[in-house]
Amino acid sequence: MGYTKWIAVLLCFLGMTACRQDAPRFRIGVAQCSDDSWRHKMNDEILREAMFYDGVSVEIRSAADDNRKQAEDVHYFIDEGVDLLIISANEAAPMTPIVEEAYQKGIPVILVDRKILSDKYTAYIGADNYEIGRAVGNYIASSLKGKGNVVELTGLGGSTPAMERHQGFMAAISNFPDIKLIDKADAAWEREPAEVEMDSMLRRHPKIDAVYAHNDRIAPGAYQAAKKVGREKEMIFVGIDALPGKGNGLEMVLDSVLNATFIYPTNGDKVMQLAMNILEKKPYPRETVMNTAVVDRTNAHVMQLQTTHISELDQKIETLNGRIGGYLSRVATQQVVMYGGLVILLLVAGLLLVVYKSLRAKNRLNKELSEQKKQLEEQRDKLEEQRDQLEEQRDKLEEQRDQLIQLSHQLEEATHAKLVFFTNISHDFRTPLTLVADPVEHLLADHTLSGDQHRMLMLIQRNVNILLRLVNQILDFRKYENGKMEYTPVQVDVLSSFEGWNESFLAAARKKHIHFSFDNMPDMDYHTLADMEKLERIYFNLLSNAFKFTPENGKITVRLSSLTKQDTRWIRFTVANTGSMISAEHIRSIFDRFYKIDMHHAGSGIGLALVKAFVELHKGTISVESDEKQGTVFTVDLPVQTCETILAEDSLKSSISAVPLNPASPGSPASSDLNGTLAAEEEELEKGYDSSKPSVLVIDDNADIRSYVRGLLHTDYTVIEAADGSEGIRKAMKYVPDLIISDVMMPGIDGIECCRRLKSELQTCHIPVILLTACSLDEQRIQGYDGGADSYISKPFSSQLLLARVRNLIDSHRRLKQFFGDGQTLAKEDVCDMDKDFVEKFKALIEAKMGDSNLNVEDLGKDMGLSRVQLYRKIKSLTNYSPNELLRIARLKKAASLLASSDMTVAEIGYEVGFSSPSYFTKCYREQFGESPTDLLKRKG
């Protein structure tokens, strides 16, 4: 029964597939306002273009200039559920609500030729009637030499083309004071009303120099009225449409009925293409304006020849379409026969399959029963064996447990010894650091120092303070371990304190373009007893970490709220940041002392451990959550305490120490000032980039190292700074510097990976790279050299050594720029294969395209796969020439070869190698070779 069901489902699917082949994919309704030759041409073009799209059905209805009939046509299409409407509104005002109704029901609406009094439509396509009116006005003014009387016969007064053509015409003749519009009448787009209105105008006005008709059906009516009274020779007749065929505008120009007509393109094919772009969710313009042109006796004959040829091609297309329809009918019949045969074959195959499966099922069941019996016996034996193995593993685990207990005691003793060592050596550090710090402060008070001297002393002072803070942090942590840090609670307004501390992070937020927000639950009391210093360090440490690990354009949110737990009021604040994710494995240990996620995350590893200790000192809790979507969120809950609760808890007299903020944290006031200074220096560098000097990019996550190196190089080089590997790669691609200095150990992309990526990019592979490292291991140096590094310098480094290495690498690179004039030099110098391939490709490209006088840097960059700026900087860096200079040199060398080996003239050779004129070729040749091409030919002859 199961197989029979599947066969039935398959047959139904085949039947539905065959039926769906004839169902249209899209249905398009066309509501035309009238039924004239111009509309017929557009309709034919729409239907012809629809043949090029599979599964598209088009239905066209004409309203015969009746607003009510056109409204009924639109409602018919809406009720039929068409996928798209194409509407040419008879009059704007009556049709506006009907078009809006269709648009609001979710049906895309394309307005063709005529607009409505609303912007509730999907797209518009048609000629610019205002500009056509202006063109007619300028033509008539030119024909009448700026002086004469004009009458205007307009289309239907409520239609937008009639209004816009009149406005454009009036705008044009307003520039000619002697051109007068003496009369105007509504001819409703038709010949008969035009003849009546023109007859009336002829009786009212004895002198008419020109007749402006809004289309080519109005124009012959006006001409016929003038002809009846013998005045057709006194005036010129101008129409609009320029359709080919008998009785249309093009033929009337050839028959001298019209002096001129202006092309009003139908573009039915463009309408259909726009409709399919909308239906297939492709990009499309909302406003498409078609161009126009005048047709008069000078070009009418050519237009007639072209339209006749196009008409013949259209007839051939119709014939081919008929043949294709016949072929498709035959194919459909053959498909029915094929599907019928396939159904019969499937039925027979299905019956055979059912019989075969039944026999196999019986044999399989018998075999499975015997195998199951055998497997049960084997499983019994395995269970007994596993029981014995579990007993052995239990004994081993007990032995390992005893070993772990012993290792735990040894680790605790080692940790205690390490802390004692850190404490003793930290005491020894404080004395020399103090002796360094005090003289530096006295030197800074000297106002006679130069700017560089003052900057160097400030750098020394900042780093001495950092070392002192690190030493104090170790000593305070030792106090925390020994339980000797005091807890001093005072009355605190948490809300106002947080708002004041937030100001310290605004500079860091602006520098990294981070969206920093602070939210609090309104109408709540946030007063409590807390140790102000430790609460500040909790807040600053969490926010500093958030700013450190949030990338540029990220988001940091702090929320302060109040809640009740176990009949006690608590204050909760959360610090959330995007762009960083901590795995579950690291979250379990993130509050442990000396724990670091990896070597790329700077810090001592005790900051979060002390945060947790300070929170627990306040009888609070701290937790962390992290995922890829939301980022990382730290949550701190603190109980609201009063003087009574503090006095009642004697245990709180025990002390735990807090460690100062990381010296370089973005949240400290000193760091905020530093960040603001660095941001200002970076903006000043961007504005003052000097391309006349060699440029050096310095990549280091330590701002002081960057500032120090910049101070060494800024006199002779333009220095660009980057705070990490990602920023360094972006700036290297942007500026294409002459040399790069990068630190090895950096968060995110380290220096070795940064070097490897730069050496693999076409734009930057030629740039020498110097790596700075505090590690002297040969393994790391090998990795760096394998990644493409040109030099290694160990920290701490000598400034003279760094300057000498920079100067030598840049000088060595300059020697490579001789390659274009001397191919032998290139083979001897140390140039990477990518640069060699780039050079050969660029030479071949110039050789192939030098004959094109319109060849420019944009074209060369596109063929080389680079932007104009990147190509310029790459070529300039490698050759010391711009791409345009190299192209001109190649052209002149080829020209010299042709002058020496061919009989071509100077002009022919100039054009052959791509110069736009012989005079410019001669000028460039003389500048390059010191003589003119003619002088060379004279010496040759």
Side-chain angles (χ1 to χ4, degrees), residues 366-642:
N366 292 332
K367 186 177 180 181
E368 286 178 352
L369 288 174
S370 60
E371 289 180 353
Q372 286 178 358
K373 179 180 178 182
K374 183 178 179 181
Q375 288 175 357
L376 289 173
E377 293 176 353
E378 292 177 353
Q379 288 177 358
R380 183 190 61 189
D381 296 337
K382 288 182 179 179
L383 288 173
E384 292 178 355
E385 182 180 354
Q386 289 176 357
R387 183 187 63 186
D388 296 337
Q389 291 176 351
L390 288 174
E391 291 178 354
E392 292 179 2
Q393 290 178 356
R394 184 189 61 188
D395 296 338
K396 289 181 179 179
L397 288 174
E398 290 178 353
E399 182 180 353
Q400 291 175 355
R401 183 195 61 190
D402 296 338
Q403 292 176 353
L404 288 174
I405 292 173
Q406 183 179 359
L407 288 174
S408 176
H409 291 311
Q410 293 175 355
L411 180 62
E412 185 175 353
E413 293 174 359
T415 301
H416 177 73
K418 179 174 63 175
L419 288 175
V420 171
F421 170 75
F422 283 164
T423 303
N424 294 336
I425 199 171
S426 298
H427 279 289
D428 293 337
F429 281 157
R430 292 185 69 173
T431 299
L433 286 174
T434 303
L435 294 175
V436 173
D438 187 63
V440 168
E441 290 182 2
H442 283 82
L443 289 173
L444 283 172
D446 187 355
H447 298 292
T448 63
L449 294 174
S450 66
D452 285 343
Q453 291 172 337
H454 189 271
R455 179 177 57 79
M456 289 291 186
L457 287 173
M458 288 294 294
L459 180 63
I460 295 172
Q461 186 185 50
R462 278 199 304 272
N463 284 276
V464 167
N465 290 335
I466 290 172
L467 287 173
L468 283 172
R469 288 171 185 168
L470 290 173
V471 168
N472 290 335
Q473 180 171 288
I474 295 173
L475 295 176
D476 288 345
F477 189 75
R478 183 61 175 158
K479 291 181 182 179
Y480 159 68
E481 288 288 310
N482 294 331
K484 294 182 179 180
M485 183 163 282
E486 297 181 356
Y487 171 68
T488 309
V490 295
Q491 189 71 23
V492 177
D493 183 355
V494 177
L495 175 59
S496 62
S497 298
F498 282 10
E499 288 175 341
W501 296 335
N502 287 339
E503 295 180 359
S504 300
F505 294 91
L506 297 181
R510 286 193 298 269
K511 180 182 178 183
K512 295 183 69 175
H513 307 289
I514 292 174
H515 177 69
F516 176 42
S517 61
F518 176 78
D519 303 327
N520 64 282
M521 187 183 298
D523 303 326
M524 299 298 298
D525 182 13
Y526 294 106
H527 288 80
T528 184
L529 286 176
D531 189 316
M532 176 66 82
E533 179 187 1
K534 294 172 180 57
L535 181 63
E536 180 182 10
R537 291 178 177 179
I538 293 171
Y539 190 72
F540 269 67
N541 198 307
L542 294 177
L543 262 185
S544 298
N545 285 337
F547 274 93
K548 183 188 300 181
F549 296 111
T550 302
E552 289 192 5
N553 301 310
K555 182 178 180 182
I556 297 177
T557 303
V558 178
R559 290 188 174 90
L560 180 64
S561 60
S562 179
L563 67 156
T564 301
K565 293 192 297 185
Q566 299 177 351
D567 298 329
T568 303
R569 195 164 65 86
W570 292 64
I571 293 175
R572 168 178 290 178
F573 70 91
T574 60
V575 178
N577 68 285
T578 61
S580 64
M581 186 264 187
I582 305 173
S583 66
E585 175 187 358
H586 292 309
I587 283 180
R588 288 194 297 268
S589 305
I590 198 169
F591 294 112
D592 295 346
R593 61 185 180 183
F594 304 119
Y595 182 78
K596 296 170 67 175
I597 293 177
D598 55 49
M599 291 301 295
H600 295 295
H601 290 76
S604 60
I606 61 175
L608 288 176
L610 288 177
V611 167
K612 183 180 180 183
F614 293 161
V615 171
E616 292 175 350
L617 186 64
H618 288 79
K619 300 298 183 182
T621 61
I622 182 171
S623 61
V624 60
E625 297 177 356
S626 185
D627 58 45
E628 293 183 358
K629 184 177 181 181
Q630 295 182 352
T632 303
V633 181
F634 283 88
T635 302
V636 177
D637 289 344
L638 300 175
V640 176
Q641 300 189 32
T642 62

Side-chain angles (χ1 to χ4, degrees), residues 528-529 568 639-650 652:
T528 184
L529 286 176
T568 303
V640 176
Q641 300 189 32
T642 62
C643 294
E644 291 77 8
T645 58
I646 293 295
L647 292 174
E649 297 177 357
D650 295 334
L652 289 181

Side-chain angles (χ1 to χ4, degrees), residues 431 437 849 853:
T431 299
K849 293 195 173 185
S853 61

Side-chain angles (χ1 to χ4, degrees), residues 283-303:
Y284 64 89
R286 193 167 189 269
E287 302 286 336
T288 304
V289 178
M290 303 300 178
N291 296 323
T292 185
V294 64
V295 178
D296 54 18
R297 293 183 183 90
T298 62
N299 60 358
H301 182 66
V302 176
M303 292 287 294

